[in-house]
Amino acid sequence: MGLITRHRRIWLLLALPFLFMPALANIFGIARPTEEDAPIHTPQSTAEWLSLPRAVDAWLNGNFGFRAAMLRGNSQLRFALHSPTTSRAAYGENGWLYLTDDAVFQQSMGLRMRVPLVTQLADIAGRLQAELGMRGARVVVAVPPNSQSIKRETLPRWARVDGVRTEYDVLRDALAERKIAFADLRTLLREEETRAEVYLKTDTHWNNHGALVAFNEVMRAAGRAGWTVDPSRVETGMEDVKENGLARMIGLEGVLFDRQPVIDLTSYAPTPYRIENLADRTEQPTYVATSEGNAGGPTVMVIGDSFTRYYFREFLMLKASRLIWTHHDQCAFDWALVERYKPDLLILAPTERYGLCAPGRAPRNEPALR
């Protein structure tokens, strides 16, 4: 008997072409990556000779033939087996993906309670209200929940808990003690989710419908019910979602898709506005949107993050003469913006996973801290 039986020889012959495909593709220039790493140069020193094997290995890993197809195939296989290609994403049921950054699962399960940092945020909201309230302005706090806190029936089974107290509850109670208006988006979105999807399946954010019903709740909490937008008037069909952050994390952007309602505000006769970006941050810089058509209207400031940067702008600019959006920076936002623009309505809206102050963070340029 030979070392390899006849049927195994057949399998070997079938497998060999696949094993040599990347090398042959490199030789003949087939299915090569469109963007190659810098070429490897001849070593000029002992140190470079010693590091040459590692450099060659890194170059081959990034430039072998059929690389994109193999990576995509690996991602699809891992997705089918519920085996994430990154620790930053977790698989739920029915194709739902969940972010794992910042221990959001533990936070939504009530296993992470950083009470002093949460109450620090409530104290900042209190100081904002004290300053703005002297001239009749209003402060409202709204916390866009983690998708784990809303889309619970598709969570991994180990993450499904009910009736637990979380940092969200700590903040809500702390704001109530300080008599600060609070839009309870968690309760709202849990109820709305029984009727329609409010979060994206392959991203961390809410969808257009979720953002709209959340906006309306914030306006009611702010005492501006006349600013609400009727979903039945503006939701006009469905559209593909262009940004799928979680799908991109697991290597399946363009394979896994989301759809959401199209928002058309034409029936509300929106007025044009211009945007000025301030050079204060590399990512998500502060912007000022100004509408001449709404001249004389209220000035609104939102201290938030990606959940409000774009989602709320079109809705607010239906009524506001000026909108200032700035990042909360986990409590290190620039207080000078509040003094400069003197908003009539200030919305403090950090996402649930950032619904507290980072250790050592405090508002910049706050008069009391100067």
Side-chain angles (χ1 to χ4, degrees), residues 17 20 59 118 151 171 250 284 311-312 335 340:
F20 283 100
W59 189 88
V118 174
K151 190 67 179 179
L171 179 61
I250 63 172
Q284 300 188 63
Y311 285 104
F312 277 17
W335 192 287
R340 176 182 175 185

Side-chain angles (χ1 to χ4, degrees), residues 15-319:
L16 280 176
F18 290 98
L19 294 175
F20 283 100
M21 277 175 61
L24 292 172
N26 271 11
I27 293 171
F28 294 105
I30 303 170
R32 293 284 301 280
T34 55
E35 295 183 7
E36 297 185 9
D37 294 334
I40 300 172
H41 299 287
T42 303
Q44 301 296 320
S45 65
T46 301
E48 289 183 353
W49 277 107
L50 291 174
S51 63
L52 180 61
R54 184 176 299 173
V56 171
D57 182 62
W59 189 88
L60 289 173
N61 282 337
N63 291 279
F64 60 83
F66 299 103
R67 180 179 187 274
M70 289 184 176
L71 291 177
R72 179 60 56 88
N74 175 65
S75 295
Q76 289 179 297
L77 177 61
R78 297 280 293 270
F79 180 73
L81 297 175
H82 275 211
S83 174
T85 55
T86 172
S87 60
R88 297 187 62 198
Y91 292 136
E93 295 189 1
N94 300 326
W96 278 81
L97 300 175
Y98 294 92
L99 185 71
T100 62
D101 287 358
D102 305 305
V104 288
F105 273 99
Q106 292 85 341
Q107 184 187 43
S108 291
M109 295 169 69
L111 301 177
R112 203 176 193 207
M113 299 290 278
R114 296 157 290 181
V115 175
L117 298 178
V118 174
T119 53
Q120 183 183 344
L121 177 62
D123 289 338
I124 291 172
R127 297 199 298 273
L128 285 167
Q129 180 168 266
E131 176 166 322
L132 295 175
M134 290 188 295
R135 51 184 183 77
R138 189 79 179 268
V139 172
V140 177
V141 178
V143 177
N146 302 328
S147 59
Q148 287 90 335
S149 299
I150 303 300
K151 190 67 179 179
R152 296 175 292 171
E153 73 277 8
T154 56
L155 283 169
R157 293 190 179 277
W158 55 264
R160 298 179 192 178
V161 295
D162 288 310
V164 297
R165 183 172 173 80
T166 69
E167 291 175 336
Y168 185 99
D169 301 291
V170 174
L171 179 61
R172 179 198 59 203
D173 295 346
L175 293 169
E177 291 174 3
R178 292 159 178 77
K179 295 180 172 56
I180 299 169
F182 178 66
D184 186 0
L185 302 184
R186 187 179 65 180
T187 299
L188 169 84
L189 292 171
R190 282 179 176 177
E191 181 181 347
E192 184 66 22
E193 201 269 333
T194 63
R195 295 185 288 270
E197 296 290 1
V198 291
Y199 274 73
L200 295 171
K201 194 173 186 178
T202 61
D203 195 84
T204 60
H205 295 90
W206 44 29
N207 62 20
N208 284 343
H209 179 70
L212 176 54
V213 296
F215 169 79
N216 287 342
E217 183 69 10
V218 174
M219 291 302 99
R220 286 188 286 266
R224 295 183 181 272
W227 286 33
T228 58
V229 175
D230 183 357
S232 66
R233 285 179 58 182
V234 300
E235 293 183 356
T236 58
M238 301 293 287
E239 65 180 0
D240 291 332
V241 178
K242 298 177 181 179
E243 295 293 332
N244 306 83
L246 292 173
R248 183 172 60 252
M249 283 184 188
I250 63 172
L252 290 179
E253 186 176 30
V255 176
L256 301 180
F257 293 95
D258 252 312
R259 288 179 63 77
Q260 66 177 352
V262 176
I263 301 295
D264 182 357
L265 297 175
T266 303
S267 63
Y268 282 86
T271 59
Y273 59 86
R274 66 179 187 275
I275 295 180
E276 175 192 2
N277 287 300
L278 307 186
D280 59 343
R281 288 172 57 92
T282 303
E283 295 184 8
Q284 300 188 63
T286 299
Y287 68 74
V288 180
T290 305
S291 170
E292 299 296 339
N294 293 337
T299 293
V300 180
M301 176 177 283
V302 178
I303 302 175
D305 46 43
S306 57
F307 272 73
T308 53
R309 179 173 173 81
Y310 300 111
Y311 285 104
F312 277 17
R313 185 168 71 198
E314 301 299 324
F315 305 142
L316 286 168
M317 292 309 294
L318 291 174
K319 300 290 186 179

